[in-house]
CSV table of all heavy atoms in Angstrom, one decimal:
chain,number,residue,atom,x,y,z
A,1,ASN,N,7.7,1.4,14.5
A,1,ASN,CA,6.9,1.4,13.2
A,1,ASN,C,6.1,0.1,13.1
A,1,ASN,O,6.4,-0.9,13.6
A,1,ASN,CB,7.9,1.4,12.0
A,1,ASN,CG,8.7,2.6,12.0
A,1,ASN,OD1,8.2,3.7,12.0
A,1,ASN,ND2,10.1,2.5,11.9
A,2,ILE,N,5.0,0.2,12.2
A,2,ILE,CA,4.3,-0.9,11.7
A,2,ILE,C,4.8,-1.0,10.3
A,2,ILE,O,4.8,0.0,9.5
A,2,ILE,CB,2.8,-0.7,11.8
A,2,ILE,CG1,2.4,-0.5,13.3
A,2,ILE,CG2,2.0,-1.8,11.2
A,2,ILE,CD1,0.9,0.0,13.4
A,3,VAL,N,5.1,-2.2,9.9
A,3,VAL,CA,5.6,-2.5,8.5
A,3,VAL,C,4.7,-3.4,7.8
A,3,VAL,O,4.3,-4.5,8.3
A,3,VAL,CB,7.1,-3.0,8.6
A,3,VAL,CG1,7.6,-3.3,7.2
A,3,VAL,CG2,8.0,-2.1,9.3
A,4,ILE,N,4.4,-3.1,6.5
A,4,ILE,CA,3.6,-3.9,5.7
A,4,ILE,C,4.4,-4.1,4.4
A,4,ILE,O,4.9,-3.2,3.8
A,4,ILE,CB,2.2,-3.3,5.3
A,4,ILE,CG1,1.4,-3.1,6.6
A,4,ILE,CG2,1.5,-4.1,4.3
A,4,ILE,CD1,0.1,-2.4,6.4
A,5,LYS,N,4.6,-5.4,4.0
A,5,LYS,CA,5.2,-5.7,2.8
A,5,LYS,C,4.2,-6.5,1.9
A,5,LYS,O,3.7,-7.5,2.4
A,5,LYS,CB,6.5,-6.6,3.0
A,5,LYS,CG,7.6,-5.8,3.6
A,5,LYS,CD,8.9,-6.7,3.7
A,5,LYS,CE,10.0,-6.0,4.3
A,5,LYS,NZ,11.2,-6.8,4.4
A,6,ALA,N,3.9,-6.1,0.7
A,6,ALA,CA,3.0,-6.7,-0.1
A,6,ALA,C,3.6,-7.1,-1.4
A,6,ALA,O,4.3,-6.3,-2.1
A,6,ALA,CB,1.8,-5.8,-0.4
A,7,ASP,N,3.4,-8.4,-1.8
A,7,ASP,CA,3.9,-8.9,-3.1
A,7,ASP,C,2.9,-8.5,-4.2
A,7,ASP,O,1.8,-8.9,-4.3
A,7,ASP,CB,4.0,-10.4,-3.1
A,7,ASP,CG,5.2,-10.9,-2.3
A,7,ASP,OD1,6.0,-10.1,-1.9
A,7,ASP,OD2,5.3,-12.1,-2.0
A,8,LEU,N,3.4,-7.6,-5.1
A,8,LEU,CA,2.6,-7.1,-6.2
A,8,LEU,C,3.3,-7.3,-7.6
A,8,LEU,O,3.5,-6.3,-8.3
A,8,LEU,CB,2.3,-5.6,-6.0
A,8,LEU,CG,1.5,-5.3,-4.7
A,8,LEU,CD1,1.5,-3.8,-4.5
A,8,LEU,CD2,0.2,-5.9,-4.7
A,9,PRO,N,3.7,-8.5,-7.9
A,9,PRO,CA,4.5,-8.6,-9.2
A,9,PRO,C,3.6,-8.3,-10.4
A,9,PRO,O,2.4,-8.6,-10.4
A,9,PRO,CB,4.8,-10.1,-9.2
A,9,PRO,CG,3.8,-10.8,-8.3
A,9,PRO,CD,3.5,-9.8,-7.3
A,10,GLY,N,4.2,-7.6,-11.3
A,10,GLY,CA,3.5,-7.2,-12.5
A,10,GLY,C,2.5,-6.0,-12.4
A,10,GLY,O,1.8,-5.7,-13.3
A,11,VAL,N,2.5,-5.4,-11.2
A,11,VAL,CA,1.7,-4.2,-11.0
A,11,VAL,C,2.6,-3.0,-11.3
A,11,VAL,O,3.6,-2.9,-10.7
A,11,VAL,CB,1.1,-4.2,-9.6
A,11,VAL,CG1,0.3,-2.9,-9.4
A,11,VAL,CG2,0.2,-5.4,-9.4
A,12,ASP,N,2.1,-2.1,-12.1
A,12,ASP,CA,2.8,-0.8,-12.4
A,12,ASP,C,2.7,0.1,-11.2
A,12,ASP,O,1.6,0.2,-10.5
A,12,ASP,CB,2.2,-0.2,-13.6
A,12,ASP,CG,3.1,0.9,-14.2
A,12,ASP,OD1,4.1,1.3,-13.5
A,12,ASP,OD2,2.9,1.2,-15.4
A,13,LYS,N,3.7,0.8,-10.9
A,13,LYS,CA,3.8,1.6,-9.7
A,13,LYS,C,2.7,2.7,-9.7
A,13,LYS,O,2.1,3.0,-8.7
A,13,LYS,CB,5.2,2.3,-9.6
A,13,LYS,CG,5.4,3.1,-8.4
A,13,LYS,CD,6.9,3.4,-8.2
A,13,LYS,CE,7.3,4.8,-8.4
A,13,LYS,NZ,8.7,5.1,-8.1
A,14,LYS,N,2.3,3.2,-10.9
A,14,LYS,CA,1.3,4.2,-11.0
A,14,LYS,C,-0.1,3.7,-10.7
A,14,LYS,O,-1.0,4.4,-10.4
A,14,LYS,CB,1.3,4.9,-12.3
A,14,LYS,CG,0.9,4.0,-13.5
A,14,LYS,CD,0.9,4.7,-14.8
A,14,LYS,CE,0.6,3.8,-15.9
A,14,LYS,NZ,-0.6,3.0,-15.8
A,15,ASP,N,-0.2,2.3,-10.6
A,15,ASP,CA,-1.5,1.7,-10.4
A,15,ASP,C,-1.7,1.3,-8.9
A,15,ASP,O,-2.7,0.6,-8.6
A,15,ASP,CB,-1.7,0.5,-11.3
A,15,ASP,CG,-1.8,0.9,-12.7
A,15,ASP,OD1,-2.3,2.0,-13.0
A,15,ASP,OD2,-1.4,0.1,-13.6
A,16,ILE,N,-0.8,1.7,-8.0
A,16,ILE,CA,-0.8,1.3,-6.6
A,16,ILE,C,-1.3,2.5,-5.8
A,16,ILE,O,-0.7,3.6,-6.0
A,16,ILE,CB,0.5,0.8,-6.1
A,16,ILE,CG1,1.0,-0.5,-6.9
A,16,ILE,CG2,0.5,0.5,-4.6
A,16,ILE,CD1,2.4,-0.9,-6.6
A,17,HIS,N,-2.2,2.3,-4.9
A,17,HIS,CA,-2.7,3.4,-4.1
A,17,HIS,C,-2.6,3.0,-2.6
A,17,HIS,O,-3.1,1.9,-2.2
A,17,HIS,CB,-4.2,3.8,-4.4
A,17,HIS,CG,-4.3,4.0,-5.9
A,17,HIS,ND1,-3.9,5.2,-6.4
A,17,HIS,CD2,-4.8,3.3,-6.9
A,17,HIS,CE1,-4.2,5.2,-7.7
A,17,HIS,NE2,-4.7,4.0,-8.0
A,18,VAL,N,-2.1,3.8,-1.7
A,18,VAL,CA,-2.1,3.6,-0.3
A,18,VAL,C,-2.8,4.8,0.4
A,18,VAL,O,-2.5,5.9,0.2
A,18,VAL,CB,-0.6,3.6,0.2
A,18,VAL,CG1,-0.5,3.3,1.7
A,18,VAL,CG2,0.2,2.5,-0.5
A,19,ASP,N,-3.9,4.4,1.1
A,19,ASP,CA,-4.7,5.4,1.8
A,19,ASP,C,-4.9,5.1,3.2
A,19,ASP,O,-4.9,3.9,3.6
A,19,ASP,CB,-6.1,5.4,1.1
A,19,ASP,CG,-6.1,5.7,-0.3
A,19,ASP,OD1,-5.5,6.8,-0.7
A,19,ASP,OD2,-6.6,4.9,-1.1
A,20,LEU,N,-4.9,6.2,4.1
A,20,LEU,CA,-5.1,6.0,5.5
A,20,LEU,C,-6.4,6.8,5.9
A,20,LEU,O,-6.5,8.0,5.6
A,20,LEU,CB,-3.9,6.5,6.3
A,20,LEU,CG,-4.0,6.4,7.8
A,20,LEU,CD1,-4.0,5.0,8.2
A,20,LEU,CD2,-2.9,7.2,8.4
A,21,ASN,N,-7.3,6.2,6.6
A,21,ASN,CA,-8.5,6.8,7.1
A,21,ASN,C,-8.6,6.4,8.6
A,21,ASN,O,-9.1,5.3,8.8
A,21,ASN,CB,-9.7,6.4,6.3
A,21,ASN,CG,-10.9,7.2,6.7
A,21,ASN,OD1,-10.9,8.1,7.5
A,21,ASN,ND2,-12.1,6.9,6.1
A,22,GLY,N,-8.3,7.3,9.5
A,22,GLY,CA,-8.3,6.9,10.9
A,22,GLY,C,-7.2,5.9,11.1
A,22,GLY,O,-6.0,6.1,10.9
A,23,ARG,N,-7.6,4.7,11.6
A,23,ARG,CA,-6.7,3.6,11.9
A,23,ARG,C,-6.8,2.5,10.8
A,23,ARG,O,-6.3,1.4,11.0
A,23,ARG,CB,-7.0,3.0,13.2
A,23,ARG,CG,-6.5,3.8,14.4
A,23,ARG,CD,-6.7,3.0,15.6
A,23,ARG,NE,-6.1,3.7,16.8
A,23,ARG,CZ,-6.0,3.2,18.0
A,23,ARG,NH1,-6.5,2.0,18.2
A,23,ARG,NH2,-5.5,3.9,18.9
A,24,VAL,N,-7.4,2.8,9.7
A,24,VAL,CA,-7.6,1.8,8.6
A,24,VAL,C,-6.7,2.2,7.4
A,24,VAL,O,-6.9,3.3,6.8
A,24,VAL,CB,-9.1,1.8,8.1
A,24,VAL,CG1,-9.2,0.8,7.0
A,24,VAL,CG2,-10.0,1.4,9.3
A,25,LEU,N,-5.8,1.4,7.1
A,25,LEU,CA,-4.9,1.6,6.0
A,25,LEU,C,-5.4,0.7,4.8
A,25,LEU,O,-5.7,-0.5,5.1
A,25,LEU,CB,-3.4,1.2,6.3
A,25,LEU,CG,-2.4,1.4,5.2
A,25,LEU,CD1,-1.9,2.8,5.3
A,25,LEU,CD2,-1.3,0.5,5.3
């Protein structure tokens, strides 16, 4: 696996978007 951990304090879960286009996340 490739693992990414991002610190997003104070961000509501519904306001987070994860998109993959080819090899670009």
Side-chain angles (χ1 to χ4, degrees):
N1 297 310
I2 298 169
V3 178
I4 298 175
K5 289 184 180 180
D7 286 349
L8 301 173
V11 178
D12 197 342
K13 187 162 114 175
K14 67 178 176 51
D15 294 330
I16 300 171
H17 307 284
V18 180
D19 300 304
L20 180 69
N21 186 4
R23 285 189 174 183
V24 178
L25 183 86

